[in-house]
Amino acid sequence: MVLRHFWGARKWGVPGSGYADLPHHHALAEVKSERLYEIGGEPPQSTWGDVGGLHKTLDGHVRIHDSFPHQRLGTLRLLELPLEASRDDVASETKLWRSIDLETSGIERGLAIYALRTYDEGDAHPQVSLTISPEVLIRIDASGPCLRVVEFSRVIAAPVADKTLAAHGADALWVTSPPHLPGLPPLDREFGRGKRTIQLDIGDPSDKARLLERLRTADAFIQGYRPGSLAAHGLSPAELAAANPGLVVANLSAFGPDGPWSGRRGFDPLVQTCSGMNLWTTALGYFLASGISAALHKRATEGGSWIADASLAGVMKYPRSLGQYAGKTGFEAHDITNNLPENLFQRRETDFGMTKYLKHSATVEGHEPGWDVMPKISGTDEPRWLS
């Protein structure tokens, strides 16, 4: 079954080959699922830090990402502020900088700081012409064996891709690597659904060998780090294909594999800031899951090893290509997540307590995909496949 133009009609399919049903309101709510779950009746905590966000500068604005402790610390050091500095203190310092100068200085220090750009300013940058706008192409073959997926990522978009594949029956193994790559627990408790979790340090030869052992028998590998990051550890797509011919390697990054910004760190709000486009990062996870499905179809029909590349900057370009209602902005949109009906939710016991979460929105041939594995404490599983 091939699904094209994901945002369009409610049902798709080829006569005689089945159909998919996607209620629009449920699907839109699922894009914000990390805000809608509850544990023990309590909503998730915010993942934002206390000094970041949008700040005024001499000639505009910058956005500072501070969800991780090292980002907050690095920002304060760049601005020559004490550790106990407040957001107001940061705001006072950013007003002394030009936006591009602060962005450049932050990037040079490995921080995530970007200048706010309009559409025209963003389009004028050479990175834009090298950013691919994704086309949606999904193929689902439920008759095949269980898909084996290894995920090495964190935060939102890449975990959403794996969570989506898990909803449709994939055996998903999520690799985390604390303390080098800390997670964000409020997000992990939503996007860990459907996955078993192991901890490996790829800088340790024995742990890297354990990861490669799993990858040799995997169908797909999802990674959400900057282009070249894993290659520095001997885990480039070419090296992985040599270890497992036919492996689909799915890469998620801020700006894609090409262009002057390809190696930059970037998170959803930062790419929104420098592109002039605001689109929920969860959407990229669905694009990436689509790309993996398409690559698996290519492998089945043509053979070979395939790479699926997706980027935050690329997914920002796609809705712009669809046009905009005259005189309308996204700020006028109605938030459909208010007062959602209870039949869209399920309740299950997890390692963190009784959890209420949003069900998967799609049905395939009348079957409701979902998750048997609930979010759990990181590193509690063995590095092996279920079968």
Side-chain angles (χ1 to χ4, degrees):
M1 178 176 62
V2 177
L3 313 186
R4 295 179 66 87
H5 303 303
F6 191 80
W7 313 113
R10 185 178 175 189
K11 290 189 177 182
W12 308 264
V14 178
S17 67
Y19 67 89
D21 189 11
L22 190 69
H24 288 174
H25 280 72
H26 190 171
L28 289 171
E30 193 173 8
V31 171
K32 300 173 71 173
S33 66
E34 78 279 5
R35 296 187 175 189
L36 299 174
Y37 77 89
E38 297 177 359
I39 296 180
E42 296 295 325
Q45 296 178 345
S46 171
T47 59
W48 301 115
D50 60 352
V51 300
L54 202 64
H55 287 279
K56 287 185 178 181
T57 62
L58 274 173
D59 56 352
H61 294 79
V62 295
R63 183 176 290 277
I64 298 172
H65 197 278
D66 67 337
S67 291
F68 296 104
H70 72 278
Q71 294 172 336
R72 182 185 190 278
L73 177 61
T75 298
L76 296 180
R77 285 176 173 170
L78 172 62
L79 298 176
E80 298 182 348
L81 290 170
L83 295 180
E84 63 273 13
S86 67
R87 192 175 191 280
D88 288 341
D89 295 329
V90 171
S92 296
E93 291 299 317
T94 61
K95 291 177 182 177
L96 306 177
W97 289 72
R98 295 188 183 278
S99 298
I100 297 300
D101 292 342
L102 185 51
E103 173 185 283
T104 302
S105 295
I107 296 299
E108 289 174 348
R109 290 170 175 248
L111 302 176
I113 301 174
Y114 283 91
L116 177 65
R117 292 171 171 84
T118 63
Y119 276 165
D120 290 341
E121 290 169 339
D123 290 345
H125 196 279
Q127 178 64 45
V128 172
S129 63
L130 296 169
T131 300
I132 299 172
S133 180
E135 179 184 19
V136 181
L137 174 63
I138 308 177
R139 182 175 178 88
I140 302 173
D141 182 0
S143 63
C146 179
L147 186 72
R148 291 175 169 180
V149 182
V150 175
E151 174 196 344
F152 192 58
S153 72
R154 56 181 178 165
V155 194
I156 296 179
V160 165
D162 198 14
K163 177 190 169 193
T164 302
L165 296 175
H168 290 270
D171 183 0
L173 202 56
W174 189 9
V175 182
T176 58
S177 187
H180 307 296
L181 298 170
L184 294 172
L187 298 181
D188 296 345
R189 291 171 187 176
E190 168 60 22
F191 299 127
R193 200 174 319 284
K195 310 171 189 179
R196 292 174 299 114
T197 168
I198 63 174
Q199 292 184 351
L200 297 174
D201 178 2
I202 60 173
D204 179 278
S206 61
D207 275 5
K208 179 183 172 182
R210 295 168 73 194
L211 175 62
L212 283 170
E213 184 180 357
R214 295 281 67 80
L215 289 172
R216 288 189 182 97
T217 53
D219 294 293
F221 176 49
I222 301 173
Q223 73 88 18
Y225 298 97
R226 289 175 296 151
S229 296
L230 294 188
H233 293 274
L235 297 171
S236 68
E239 289 166 311
L240 294 175
N244 179 5
L247 178 69
V248 171
V249 177
N251 301 311
L252 184 144
S253 61
F255 298 101
D258 302 307
W261 285 8
S262 62
R264 282 193 174 192
R265 294 171 175 83
F267 297 86
D268 175 35
L270 301 176
V271 179
Q272 292 175 8
T273 299
C274 65
S275 69
M277 178 69 195
N278 191 336
L279 182 66
W280 210 248
T281 187
T282 315
L284 178 56
Y286 297 122
F287 275 110
L288 188 61
S290 303
I292 293 168
S293 300
L296 289 168
H297 173 54
K298 287 283 190 180
R299 184 187 71 176
T301 56
E302 302 178 23
S305 299
W306 294 82
I307 298 173
D309 280 309
S311 70
L312 289 164
V315 82
M316 299 293 173
K317 292 179 71 173
Y318 178 70
R320 286 185 61 189
S321 71
L322 304 178
Q324 181 175 340
Y325 289 107
K328 299 291 185 180
T329 73
F331 296 105
E332 301 171 47
H334 172 62
D335 186 354
I336 55 87
T337 61
N338 293 327
N339 302 315
L340 289 170
E342 281 296 311
N343 65 353
L344 298 186
F345 293 88
Q346 289 183 327
R347 289 173 172 81
R348 291 279 298 275
E349 192 65 47
T350 73
D351 285 357
F352 311 103
M354 179 58 68
T355 301
K356 173 185 174 182
Y357 62 93
L358 197 66
K359 294 190 292 185
H360 188 48
S361 54
T363 60
V364 180
E365 296 185 333
H367 170 69
E368 291 190 5
W371 304 278
D372 293 327
V373 179
M374 290 293 104
K376 56 182 66 177
I377 296 171
S378 179
T380 56
D381 292 295
E382 293 295 322
R384 59 178 179 80
W385 300 116
L386 292 176
S387 61

